[in-house]
Amino acid sequence: MIRSNYVSEITQEMDNQKVTLAGWVHEVRKLKNVTFLLLRDITGIIQVTGKAGTCDKNIIESMDIPKESVISVEGIVKINPEAKIGFEIIPTKITNLNPISKVIPFETTGKVPAELDTRLDYRYIDLRRLQTEAIFKIESTILNSFRNFLYNKGFNEIRTSSIVAEATEGGADLFPLQYFEEKAYLAQSPQLYKQMAVIGGLDKVFMIMPVYRAEKSNDLYHLNEITQMDVEIGFSDYNDAEKLLKDTLEFIISEVVRRNDSDLKVLGIELKVPETKVIEYAEVVKKLKEKGESIEFGDDFSREHEKAIEKYFGESVLVTEFPTKVRAFYSMPNENNKELSHSYDLIYKGMEISSGAQRIHIADMLVDAIKERGMDPNNFKSYVDAFRCGAPPHAGWSIGLERLAMQITGMKNIRECAMFPRDRKRISP
Amino acid sequence: MIRSNYVSEITQEMDNQKVTLAGWVHEVRKLKNVTFLLLRDITGIIQVTGKAGTCDKNIIESMDIPKESVISVEGIVKINPEAKIGFEIIPTKITNLNPISKVIPFETTGKVPAELDTRLDYRYIDLRRLQTEAIFKIESTILNSFRNFLYNKGFNEIRTSSIVAEATEGGADLFPLQYFEEKAYLAQSPQLYKQMAVIGGLDKVFMIMPVYRAEKSNDLYHLNEITQMDVEIGFSDYNDAEKLLKDTLEFIISEVVRRNDSDLKVLGIELKVPETKVIEYAEVVKKLKEKGESIEFGDDFSREHEKAIEKYFGESVLVTEFPTKVRAFYSMPNENNKELSHSYDLIYKGMEISSGAQRIHIADMLVDAIKERGMDPNNFKSYVDAFRCGAPPHAGWSIGLERLAMQITGMKNIRECAMFPRDRKRISP
C-alpha cells in the first residue's frame, strides 16, 4: 500500500503525526505566500498547505500540478481552525505517481457541468465526481444489505445461467446469441430457474443477476441490461412474500441511512426509512379515478399513475391483488375471484421498483393458465413437469437495483445508476 | 409460512410440544404395526412415526405416500432413544401439499445412482439429493464470505456489463450477440471495467459476475459460462494483492468449515484451513524438473503440473513471477527482469483457482506491451487513454467460483458445481 492512512482516518488527535496519503488533486489554489492543494481519496478531501517558511521551496513548487493528477503526499498533520475540517497536512514530500498526458475531458468538481453522454463515455473520469462516487457507494450498500438481510434469515444465494435456449416468459424482446451451433438468447429473468431451486428443496433462495430486455424504448427509466435482485420462498404464500418485500426495502434503506450519510449529503438527499402501505389494486384505481386520474380497472399503471400513487398514498406503497390478465401467466389467481391474482408491485417514491407474485404450483392449473393466454402448453412441458414432482407452494419477487438506486439517490435518469449502462444506443464503454 | 419449525429447530427440550413441519417424503417404511416416514427439509431429516394405538388409523394410512411427495406434518415431538436423532414426531395430521403426477426420474437417496446428464436434465430433482444440496449450500457460503470479507475491508461492490462491443483481452473464443443493429459479444472478463473503476477513484472494488468463453474444449474442469469473483485494488502493488488473495482464500475456507459442517460430512470431506505457500515460478519449475516432470521454463502449467505442485509443495500454493510471455499483455513486468512479470496463480488442491497480476498503469509502457504481442495499439486507444488521465498503480485477481467449489467439495466434474451448467453441448435447462 502506498498510503499509511485514508483521508477520513486523519483526526485532530493525530496533530504533529507523520502520515502518507494518496489520491487525486481535486483543486490547487496558489496565493502569494501559500499554495493550497486539495487531496481527494475515496473517503474525503483534505487540505495540503505549502507555505513559505514552513515548507521547502521545492515542495511548494511540486504542488503546482494539474488537477486530477494522481499523487502521494507525505506530511505532518497540523490542527488549523481555519481549514475546512479543522486540520491540514504540511507536506514534506509530494510524488506524482503517473503524470497526466492527456487533457482531462471534463471538470470533476462540478463548476463546469458536463453532458451525461460525455460523462458516460469517460466513466473513469466521471466516477471522480463526488456525486457519481456517492451513487455507486450507495449501490454497494444496497447490494450488501439486501444479501445480508436474507442470508441472516437462512436464505441460500444461488447462481443461474444468463444463456437460455428459449424465451423464459414466452415474450418477445430477446437478444439473440450464437451458442456454438445453437441459437440461444440472453435471459429476460431467472424466474423459472429460481422456481426450480425451490422445487429442488433449497427452500428460500436469492440471487443478483443481470437480465436483458431488447426493448426499443429509450426513456429515462429503462435500460436494456438491468441488475435484478431476486427472491423465491418455498412453503410460502403471497402474505409471506409481501411482508418480506416490505421488510427488505425498509432494511436496505435503513442501512443506506446508517452507512452513507456523507454520500446522501453530497447528493442533497434527506432519506427516511419509509413505512410501506399495503393497498389492493382495486382500491388504488378507485381512489385515482376519484382524484380525476385517467385509469380504468384492468389497466396496468403508467408512469403518471405511479406518480399519482405517491401523491395520494405515500412514499412506499405495496399494491396487491392485480388483475390476472395484466400479470405473468404463472401468477396464482385469487381463490375467490380468478380475475384477481396474488400479485404485487412496490411503488417507491412514485416508481415501480419491484414486482412479484405467489406462483401457481399446481401443474394442471398452470396448463390452463398457459392455454388461457393463447400459448401452447407443449412449449412449456419441461417447466410444467417440474410441478408434477412434488412442488411446494411458493412466492417471490425481484427488485431492480438501478431503479431502487435511482429513487434513493434522487436521480432523474436511470443511466446515472448503472456504471456502464446499456441502452438502445450505448454498448460501450 | 406453512411450517412452524424447520427440522433442525426441533430439540429434545420440545418433548410433547406441538409443531408443524413441511418438506419432502425421503423414505417410507411400513412394518406390521408401525409406519416410519422420513421427512426431509433444507435443514435435515426427521422420523415421523405412525403407530397403531398411538395414532389414528386414517393418519397412518395417509403416511402411505410416494417418495418425494411434498407434505406438511402436524404432530407432537416425542423423545425416543431408538430414533436416529433421539426424538421423533407423532403425527396428528398429514397433508399432501401437491400430489405427484409424474414418475420421479431418478432416486434421490443415492441407493440407485443416476448419470450426471440425467441429474442435470432434472436439476429440480437432483437438488433434493443431500450431496447436491450440500454443494450449493457451500457455494452460498463461499459467495457470502468472499463479499463480507472484502466489504469489511472497505471495498465497494460494483456491477459492470456483460455485453461488450469488442474483445476485452484481444482474444478469440467469444460468443457473438446481436445488440439491435450492432454486433456485440459476451464479456470474457470484467478486467478493463474494474480497472476503470479504480482509475475512477473507487479505490478498492470487487464484483461477482458471469463471464463467457466460447472454448470448444469439453473436459471436466472448464465451463463456457463461469462465475468470476473479481477484485481490483488501487494504490497497491502485487505484494498487497498476493497477500489479499491468500487471506481471502483462507477466510472463505474457514467460513465453510465453520458454517457447513454437516454439508462437509454429507460429502465425506475433512476440510482444513490451508496455509498458503508463496513460491516463485522459476523455483517451481526447477523443483518439478528435479522430480522428473516434463516442464521447461516458459511453459504454462498443465493439469499434470498443477497436480505435481500439490504433491511437492502442498495444498495451497501461490506461484508468483510468471514469465511475461505467458501472461496477459497488461501484466506489470518485473522492474529488474522484464522477462518476468508481477503475476500470480493460486493452485489449491492441485488446481488453478485464481489468477492475477499487478497491472501496467503507465500508458506508454502499455502501448509497448501491446505492440510486443503483435497487436495494434489503435484497437486499445480508449483503454490506453484512461491511463493518461491520472491512473494509480493497481493490482487484482479473480477466483473462479465453480472451480473453488469443486476443490472444496471434492467433486471431479466442474458441472457438479454449477446449478445450471453451460458447456459445449448443454444449453438447457
Side-chain angles (χ1 to χ4, degrees), chain A residues 1-5 7 18-26 37-41 46 48 58-59 62-66 68-76 89-99, chain B residues 234-236 361 390-393:
Chain A
M1 285 284 178
I2 288 163
R3 53 166 74 89
S4 68
N5 292 87
V7 166
K18 197 180 163 184
V19 295
T20 305
L21 304 174
W24 284 267
V25 176
H26 192 64
L37 182 156
L38 295 182
L39 178 73
R40 184 189 71 235
D41 73 14
I46 198 163
V48 179
N58 292 337
I59 292 171
S62 70
M63 292 173 71
D64 191 4
I65 194 169
E68 293 309 318
S69 296
V70 64
I71 63 171
S72 67
V73 176
E74 289 177 35
I76 310 293
I89 302 293
I90 308 300
T92 53
K93 187 179 175 190
I94 292 181
T95 309
N96 189 337
L97 297 171
N98 193 3
Chain B
F235 299 96
S236 293
H361 66 287

Side-chain angles (χ1 to χ4, degrees), chain B residues 227-270:
Chain B
T227 300
Q228 202 164 288
M229 309 197 287
D230 261 288
V231 158
E232 200 73 28
I233 26 177
F235 299 96
S236 293
D237 64 12
Y238 60 100
N239 287 305
D240 303 315
E242 287 172 11
K243 179 171 188 323
L244 184 72
L245 177 52
K246 264 170 56 83
D247 292 350
T248 303
L249 177 74
E250 290 168 17
F251 181 77
I252 289 172
I253 294 184
S254 70
E255 286 296 285
V256 173
V257 168
R258 189 172 71 81
R259 302 191 209 173
N260 295 91
D261 182 51
S262 61
D263 301 310
L264 291 167
K265 280 211 183 82
V266 163
L267 296 168
I269 299 290
E270 273 192 49

Side-chain angles (χ1 to χ4, degrees), chain A residues 6 151 161 203 225 259 361, chain B residues 6 151 161 203 225 259:
Chain A
Y6 283 97
Y151 198 87
S161 179
D203 205 70
E225 178 184 37
R259 303 191 210 173
H361 66 287
Chain B
Y6 283 97
Y151 198 88
S161 179
D203 206 69
E225 179 183 37
R259 302 191 209 173

Side-chain angles (χ1 to χ4, degrees), chain A residues 34-68:
Chain A
V34 60
T35 300
F36 298 108
L37 182 156
L38 295 182
L39 178 73
R40 184 189 71 235
D41 73 14
I42 182 84
T43 68
I45 292 173
I46 198 163
Q47 178 178 302
V48 179
T49 309
K51 203 170 174 179
T54 318
C55 280
D56 193 85
K57 193 164 164 273
N58 292 337
I59 292 171
I60 298 176
E61 273 169 16
S62 70
M63 292 173 71
D64 191 4
I65 194 169
K67 286 211 294 189
E68 293 309 318

